[in-house]
Amino acid sequence: MKKAILLALMMVLSFTFSAHAGETFNLLTWKGYAPTELIKKFEAETGYTVKVTYSNNEEMIAKLRATRGAGFDLAQPSQDRISSVQKKYSIYQPMDYSQIKSALFIPSMLNAVKRNTAVENNSYAVPFCWGTSGLIVNTAKAPGATDYTALISEKYKGRVSYRLKRPTLIAMAFAMGKDPFALYGSPTEYKKLMNKVADELIKAKPIVKNYWTNGDALLQSMRSGEVTVAMAWDNGGWKLHAENKDIDFIAPASGALGWIDTFAIPAKAKNTKAAYAWINFIMRPENAAMFTNKEKYATAAVGVAKFLDKAVADNFSRSFSEDTIDNIKWYPPVPAHIEAIEGKLLDKIKAAN
Amino acid sequence: MTAFTKKKSLLFWLFLAPVIGWLGLLIIIPHIDLLIMSLKAENDMGDLVWSTANYMEFFREPIYWVTFVRTALYSVITTVVTLMISFPIAFYIAKVASNKLRGAYVILLLLPFWVSELVRVYGWMILLRESGVLNFFLLKLGIITTPIEMLYNDATMIMGLVYSSMLFMVVPLISVMESLDDSLVEASFDLGGGVISTTWNIIIPHAKPGITSGCIVVFMLSLGNYLTPNLMGGKNSLWFTEQIYNQFIASFNWNQGAAFGFLLLLLSSLIIWFGLKVTKQTLGKVVA
Amino acid sequence: MNIDLSAKDIVKKFGALTAVNNISFDVPKGSFFSILGPSGCGKTTLLRMIAGFDHPTSGSLKICGRDMLGIAPNKRPVNLVFQHLALFPMMNVSENIAFGLHRRGVDKQTIQKKVHEILERVGLPEYANKRIDQLSGGQKQRIAIARCLVLDPTVLLLDEPLGALDLKLREQMKVELKKLQSEVGTTFIYITHDQSEALVMSDSVAVMQNGVFEQIASPRELYAEPATSFVASFVGDNNTWSATVSGIENDCIAVETDSNLHFKTRSKDNVSIGQKVDLFLRPEAIVINPHDVSGLNLLQVTVKAVLFDGANSRLLTVTKAGRELTVSLPQNRQYDYIQKGDRISLGWSPESGICFKREE
């Protein structure tokens, strides 16, 4: 009985002592980007109540566009999807870098993101984590799958899966020996190239088993052996590798696609204070490492190495040699009109029989 | 007298206000907004101007109208299959089953709808996938030697659509069949009718309003379904709703998406109108 | 005599309940046969077995010598006019009538001709294109019968078809039905709980109770010579006394009623002295203030009310002991003098009364 009273008292005290008791913090992010342990820790430290909504790049933009940037305090779009969207719809507010502890970030990455998300005189984001898209391969069942061309190869017919989204188009373009990013500036040339890519993918439709939409479902298909070659994010491959040594992430010969996911503050965010607090909280080395250990994504935080599990550190060195790191194709900011071109082609591929 | 009528009309408006408010706020105003949006397109300068380009795009670009025709056709097939399966089930529940069992059967039909559509579809996927339950048993029993992929084809997709819309056909059919006088069926048999002629001449004409309302609901549900075609149809089954979704989400072209939305509304209404004409019915009768 | 329908030892059980208990009867060709009984007596079950919708638990059923067991309703040479007629509301009058002919694959011209003929026969030639809901009750009735008759059934079954009509129409339809039946010559089996319908129309009536036939006889015989006390009380009006046998003569017995009246009367059953009996006496068998009292049973009563109802007028009288007694009041003006409160004497012949053993 005494214990219970003590406990209740402590709870009451802890609430009153928390600076922001009762305030909610609305986070719009990707699945896995806000581990429960970290949320609990953050809530205990600051007193905020964290509400998380899971999404992806496209839906994030659509959600914020629908409300003109209201409803969320912090979003996590990819760095290449910020500037053109911001120019067109003004759904974010400029990042106040004075509120950010820059010492927590890898300087080169922070600067790259600042540069890539600049619109007029402001920048709109700071990096959170990064990774690559490449191939997840079951090397025992699908030997020899080393490049994106495996996705359209007769050899793996019925055992292939990828997302019907823009990264696949871009990857196939690289596999054809072209550089789609170089054509970002000229929509007509870009369209020509993408038409060719679409034709390839339509021709290869009998090869693909399905277009995956849900990461967990893809991993399940790879576990069961239904799918042996897939285009997906590196961390998924690493997760599977921990269970089955035959399955691993492979950086494709024509280059893994490198992405950086960021923090950006929506234009009508109510609780920017909480947003900055969350950024500064999760980028602390021990917290960032906890995230990486769990989700296998690399973070943009410095000083993480000593907190990392050995297996996680190994993942990266196993999949990426010095050369392949240099060969990573980092997404430049997406200019306007590109998405409309891609959207139509993706529809065309899906509709084709 | 006048005071009374005044009071009455005030009361009338008071009761009607929430309905009007609901209709206005949640249906009419957003639709007007969407309509305006659908009639705007970017010109060469990148500015939004009034234009019918979004609607023209639908007819000019084969992917779009072919997808629509495909979606409509498959929805019609789904509706017909659902009707053919539901009709005997509804007849059994309404006319043959004992009172005690009737409720139990209806609950059995309702049961799958207590979970979300997503869960229902995943249930099918677990059953039918290559490493799924059905393949496991077929392999165990030695009926097949290599697992068969049963997902990601049109037949499976239609089955999924039929499954998720059956309730909406069975329920109106049950209620309309319950109102069928047993002696009409007996009279038909007495006068020499068989099972087929009795069904065709007596039961179907009687059940017509239920059949029509069930068909309209199932057709609209199939047409507007997103999850089932996407997940069970897989790579070959672009559904029109997915195209609307893609316009809004992937291409950021809300104007085009809104136009597609209106075309879906318009064309599906047209199909229903045509269906009612062909079967010589009016919407008023069906709803009443 | 040709027998159209022959039922033998028919039993129908629903679980523990025996709805029809060992019934046998024959219906001669071209006759009007009625089954009369209170609701729940099993007559509808019997009819449904003849039509083929229910199947006997045991027993045999033959139509024109052909065994009907296991033959589906749509294959039997019988047709049923349903209690609520069961006209198809989705079809018009001529479509309703043509339905059965279509099922037989009769060609279109013949169908048209037959529909027209039968509509004339039932007196509704103008109604071919009417919707069912445009018809009056009596018209519906006739269409329902026409729909069956057009198929020339060996036996036409009718399940209380007049029940839904108002009294006046019912009286009229009774006569029409009887006329129709004698014109077409089809065997009718008619089910009713209304004794007047059965008596007016039938050649032969079976009185049914608790799943058994109490008596099969012509209407006249049923009325005059009821075989059981149930028939006596169910068919026609009767005054009833409880009595005890006090003496036995040749073809007569003497009884003493509960109210200490002494009568001579007939007995259907063999009785001995001291036997408890029920005595039935028709209101029209009682003579008011008889001139010639020889051989009559006599009693004194007080007029409690004059129930004037045209040809059906009665006196409600009461004996000294307070027993009510209904007496027919012939409308030949002879008894116009009788007023409420008058004391009158009544007489009846021993042949008019009838006794049955009391079933305890």
Side-chain angles (χ1 to χ4, degrees):
Chain A
M1 192 62 203
K2 264 186 187 165
K3 256 188 189 169
I5 292 170
L6 208 68
L7 202 74
L9 244 152
M10 268 168 68
M11 274 166 74
V12 171
L13 280 178
S14 70
F15 273 116
T16 43
F17 280 138
S18 310
H20 307 283
E23 282 181 53
T24 36
F25 164 54
N26 282 302
L27 178 61
L28 179 62
T29 189
W30 300 73
K31 235 183 177 130
Y33 278 22
T36 326
E37 300 92 317
L38 290 179
I39 290 176
K40 282 204 179 123
K41 196 172 161 195
F42 179 70
E43 284 177 338
E45 263 181 38
T46 62
Y48 290 116
T49 310
V50 180
K51 263 180 76 181
V52 183
T53 306
Y54 298 116
S55 190
N56 59 39
N57 267 324
E58 288 84 5
E59 285 180 0
M60 244 180 246
I61 296 164
K63 274 201 172 93
L64 292 174
R65 193 182 153 192
T67 59
R68 299 192 172 82
F72 297 97
D73 300 313
L74 189 61
Q76 298 211 259
S78 297
Q79 55 118 9
D80 57 314
R81 305 295 283 271
I82 295 176
S83 56
S84 69
V85 168
Q86 178 58 23
K87 269 181 216 153
K88 225 170 160 181
Y89 309 125
S90 305
I91 54 177
Y92 301 114
Q93 52 179 284
M95 186 64 70
D96 178 0
Y97 290 94
S98 66
Q99 305 241 31
I100 304 273
K101 294 179 184 155
S102 3
L104 295 172
F105 295 83
I106 299 171
S108 63
M109 206 165 271
L110 180 59
N111 287 329
V113 167
K114 265 188 188 172
R115 201 170 52 242
N116 281 336
T117 61
V119 176
E120 287 161 10
N121 297 321
N122 292 309
S123 280
Y124 285 85
V126 291
F128 167 56
C129 68
W130 64 278
T132 62
S133 296
L135 296 175
I136 301 180
V137 178
N138 187 327
T139 46
K141 291 185 175 160
T146 54
D147 200 1
Y148 297 119
T149 45
L151 299 173
I152 56 169
S153 158
E154 264 315 307
K155 246 169 99 183
Y156 312 116
K157 190 173 176 177
R159 294 281 169 258
V160 171
S161 186
Y162 44 84
R163 284 203 307 166
L164 201 58
K165 289 267 152 79
R166 63 185 309 263
T168 310
L169 297 177
I170 287 162
M172 288 316 296
F174 275 116
M176 287 160 72
K178 302 288 190 326
D179 182 359
F181 296 156
L183 300 178
Y184 264 16
S186 87
T188 37
E189 287 299 308
Y190 187 77
K191 194 171 178 181
K192 251 193 230 160
L193 172 62
M194 283 304 152
N195 272 331
K196 266 190 229 152
V197 170
D199 288 344
E200 279 302 320
L201 287 175
I202 288 170
K203 222 169 43 193
K205 240 183 138 171
I207 312 276
V208 67
K209 184 183 186 73
N210 64 355
Y211 300 125
W212 64 267
T213 52
N214 175 315
D216 291 335
L218 172 76
L219 297 191
Q220 186 53 41
S221 304
M222 295 223 58
R223 258 181 217 119
S224 69
E226 281 177 43
V227 170
T228 56
V229 183
M231 182 173 166
W233 296 299
D234 46 21
N235 73 319
W238 293 333
K239 274 185 188 167
L240 288 174
H241 186 76
E243 303 166 20
N244 180 348
K245 295 290 166 232
D246 285 339
I247 305 177
D248 205 354
F249 177 80
I250 291 178
S254 21
L257 301 176
W259 48 262
I260 302 172
D261 283 349
T262 68
F263 292 109
I265 300 178
K268 294 181 182 165
K270 277 202 191 116
N271 201 344
T272 51
K273 227 175 175 172
Y276 288 114
W278 173 261
I279 296 171
N280 290 326
F281 166 80
I282 204 164
M283 295 310 283
R284 292 212 301 252
E286 70 275 19
N287 294 341
M290 189 192 243
F291 159 72
T292 298
N293 282 336
K294 182 144 189 261
E295 293 297 323
K296 323 287 185 231
Y297 289 115
T299 85
V302 288
V304 176
K306 60 181 172 195
F307 298 107
L308 281 188
D309 295 345
K310 189 179 174 311
V312 173
D314 284 349
N315 281 335
F316 193 78
S317 52
R318 193 177 62 251
S319 292
F320 290 97
S321 65
E322 205 65 42
D323 296 346
T324 48
I325 292 179
D326 289 344
N327 198 24
I328 291 177
K329 317 288 187 196
W330 296 94
Y331 287 106
V334 182
H337 298 299
I338 291 285
E339 274 134 339
I341 294 171
E342 292 162 345
K344 204 161 184 178
L345 286 173
L346 292 172
D347 276 352
K348 195 172 155 194
I349 297 168
K350 180 96 189 254
N353 272 316
Chain B
M1 174 66 200
T2 39
F4 178 69
T5 32
K6 237 184 196 168
K7 216 172 174 183
K8 217 169 135 187
S9 73
L10 187 75
L11 214 67
F12 173 76
W13 287 109
L14 211 67
F15 276 116
L16 209 64
V19 179
I20 292 175
W22 180 75
L23 276 174
L25 283 175
L26 288 166
I27 300 191
I28 297 172
I29 292 175
H31 273 78
I32 290 173
D33 194 31
L34 276 176
L35 186 66
I36 291 169
M37 197 185 280
S38 76
L39 287 168
K40 288 199 165 183
E42 270 179 31
N43 63 7
D44 294 337
M45 315 293 291
D47 301 319
L48 277 180
V49 292
W50 293 100
S51 158
T52 56
N54 296 318
Y55 289 91
M56 300 306 290
E57 179 74 1
F58 174 81
F59 297 101
R60 212 181 295 133
E61 182 61 69
I63 310 170
Y64 298 141
W65 64 259
V66 165
T67 306
F68 181 82
V69 168
R70 204 186 106 89
T71 306
L73 197 73
Y74 276 47
S75 297
V76 170
I77 294 173
T78 301
T79 309
V80 171
V81 172
T82 310
L83 176 63
M84 294 207 301
I85 296 175
S86 305
F87 200 84
I89 293 175
F91 186 81
Y92 183 84
I93 293 176
K95 286 291 164 196
V96 183
S98 64
N99 277 334
K100 232 190 283 168
L101 282 175
R102 197 171 299 164
Y105 285 133
V106 173
I107 286 174
L108 271 182
L109 277 169
L110 266 169
L111 219 54
F113 289 81
W114 286 350
V115 298
S116 77
E117 188 182 5
L118 191 69
V119 175
R120 257 177 288 147
V121 172
Y122 270 116
W124 276 112
M125 294 182 78
I126 288 166
L127 267 181
L128 297 178
R129 65 189 298 168
E130 214 179 328
S131 57
V133 178
L134 199 60
N135 266 309
F136 175 81
F137 280 109
L138 288 176
L139 282 170
K140 271 268 161 168
L141 294 169
I143 296 167
I144 52 172
T145 48
T146 49
I148 307 165
E149 179 59 90
M150 296 179 222
L151 284 174
Y152 315 129
N153 59 58
D154 293 344
T156 310
M157 179 185 73
I158 286 179
M159 190 204 65
L161 285 171
V162 168
Y163 174 76
S164 52
S165 51
M166 228 171 73
L167 184 75
F168 303 97
M169 185 70 90
V170 172
V171 167
L173 282 181
I174 288 179
S175 75
V176 82
M177 289 211 197
E178 273 176 345
S179 72
L180 173 68
D181 186 356
D182 287 351
S183 66
L184 288 185
V185 175
E186 287 184 344
S188 168
F189 276 100
D190 186 68
L191 294 167
V195 174
I196 293 168
S197 72
T198 303
T199 307
W200 186 253
N201 291 301
I202 310 298
I203 302 175
I204 289 180
H206 176 87
K208 223 169 172 182
I211 292 174
T212 315
S213 61
C215 282
I216 289 175
V217 173
V218 170
F219 178 75
M220 293 303 262
L221 279 179
S222 303
L223 209 60
N225 201 319
Y226 177 80
L227 271 175
T228 307
N230 211 349
L231 289 175
M232 289 180 79
K235 62 179 181 178
N236 289 320
S237 64
L238 186 55
W239 210 245
F240 197 66
T241 46
E242 196 182 342
Q243 231 151 23
I244 297 176
Y245 174 88
N246 284 345
Q247 287 301 335
F248 272 97
I249 303 296
S251 305
F252 304 132
N253 194 344
W254 287 20
N255 309 87
Q256 186 70 66
F260 283 0
F262 269 93
L263 282 165
L264 180 67
L265 187 71
L266 218 72
L267 292 173
S268 55
S269 306
L270 212 70
I271 292 170
I272 285 169
W273 174 83
F274 181 72
L276 287 173
K277 272 278 151 198
V278 166
T279 56
K280 292 179 189 141
Q281 297 196 71
T282 60
L283 196 64
K285 254 193 208 160
V286 171
V287 174
Chain C
M1 189 165 56
N2 286 326
I3 301 295
D4 259 354
L5 177 86
S6 168
K8 209 159 166 36
D9 307 327
I10 299 267
V11 176
K12 176 68 183 176
K13 289 184 179 171
F14 295 107
L17 179 89
T18 306
V20 172
N21 193 0
N22 216 25
I23 278 181
S24 301
F25 64 102
D26 290 331
V27 179
K29 192 173 180 54
S31 66
F32 198 123
F33 184 85
S34 289
I35 299 169
L36 172 66
S39 54
C41 72
K43 57 189 192 300
T44 298
T45 307
L46 183 60
L47 195 75
R48 288 176 62 82
M49 284 191 281
I50 300 172
F53 295 122
D54 281 329
H55 303 287
T57 310
S58 67
S60 83
L61 190 70
K62 285 180 178 160
I63 294 173
C64 287
R66 212 171 113 224
D67 191 2
M68 282 294 122
L69 293 184
I71 291 183
N74 52 357
K75 299 281 186 314
R76 295 190 183 197
V78 296
N79 288 115
L80 174 60
V81 177
F82 285 80
Q83 189 165 13
H84 300 293
L85 308 180
L87 290 171
F88 304 134
M90 58 289 277
M91 304 178 194
N92 67 18
V93 167
S94 66
E95 285 166 341
N96 260 284
I97 296 175
F99 183 84
L101 295 170
H102 272 298
R103 303 283 82 73
R104 288 186 184 173
V106 178
D107 68 274
K108 274 205 174 114
Q109 273 171 329
T110 319
I111 289 180
Q112 226 174 2
K113 204 176 111 233
K114 285 200 166 190
V115 168
H116 185 72
E117 277 173 14
I118 201 78
L119 278 173
E120 290 217 312
R121 166 136 276 165
V122 297
L124 296 169
E126 315 295 318
Y127 283 72
N129 294 317
K130 291 263 194 238
R131 289 198 318 271
I132 296 303
D133 56 21
Q134 290 173 308
L135 303 179
S136 70
Q139 288 166 341
K140 281 184 190 164
Q141 190 72 60
R142 285 184 244 178
I143 298 303
I145 293 165
R147 184 173 73 172
C148 292
L149 282 183
V150 79
L151 298 174
D152 288 321
T154 308
V155 176
L156 182 68
L157 308 171
L158 301 102
D159 185 7
E160 307 205 30
L162 304 186
L165 302 182
D166 60 61
L167 186 69
K168 189 121 193 183
L169 199 54
R170 198 151 62 203
E171 294 299 320
Q172 193 186 327
M173 282 305 296
K174 271 191 238 173
V175 181
E176 266 188 48
L177 255 182
K178 177 69 190 165
K179 246 166 59 190
L180 188 69
Q181 193 265 338
S182 56
E183 275 169 32
V184 296
T186 307
T187 308
F188 277 33
I189 295 182
Y190 188 98
I191 276 201
T192 183
H193 66 270
D194 181 316
Q195 41 117 350
S196 139
E197 284 176 23
L199 297 183
V200 168
M201 294 189 279
S202 314
D203 298 316
S204 176
V205 179
V207 180
M208 191 169 182
Q209 195 208 6
N210 294 334
V212 296
F213 279 178
E214 298 259 330
Q215 186 175 10
I216 305 178
S218 70
R220 186 184 302 275
E221 190 184 341
L222 215 56
Y223 192 78
E225 298 291 333
T228 66
S229 66
F230 174 76
V231 175
S233 62
F234 194 72
V235 178
D237 293 328
N238 258 316
N239 293 300
T240 316
W241 279 285
S242 300
T244 314
V245 178
S246 54
I248 300 176
E249 292 165 31
N250 300 335
D251 48 356
C252 240
I253 59 170
V255 295
E256 181 183 357
T257 71
D258 290 358
S259 45
N260 301 106
L261 294 169
H262 292 268
F263 295 132
K264 283 187 176 162
T265 184
R266 292 183 297 150
S267 173
K268 267 278 165 192
D269 302 326
N270 282 326
V271 291
S272 49
I273 291 176
Q275 171 76 47
K276 297 257 186 212
V277 292
D278 284 321
L279 167 60
F280 295 93
L281 180 63
R282 301 262 180 224
E284 70 270 21
I286 303 172
V287 188
I288 302 167
N289 289 338
H291 295 297
D292 181 8
V293 298
S294 61
L296 294 187
N297 294 305
L298 290 173
L299 65 162
Q300 300 297 316
V301 294
T302 310
V303 176
K304 203 172 165 191
V306 181
L307 308 172
F308 182 79
D309 185 16
N312 207 18
S313 299
R314 285 139 190 262
L315 288 178
L316 185 61
T317 65
V318 61
T319 63
K320 267 183 225 147
R323 262 209 59 106
E324 280 186 357
L325 201 60
T326 317
V327 181
S328 277
L329 187 61
Q331 286 306 298
N332 47 15
R333 315 223 59 165
Q334 193 186 340
Y335 301 107
D336 285 4
Y337 63 89
I338 295 177
Q339 300 290 322
K340 181 179 171 188
D342 288 355
R343 290 184 53 83
I344 55 175
S345 69
L346 300 176
W348 56 277
S349 136
E351 280 84 61
S352 310
I354 194 158
C355 280
F356 297 95
K357 269 189 202 166
R358 168 83 61 86
E359 269 147 44
E360 300 299 338

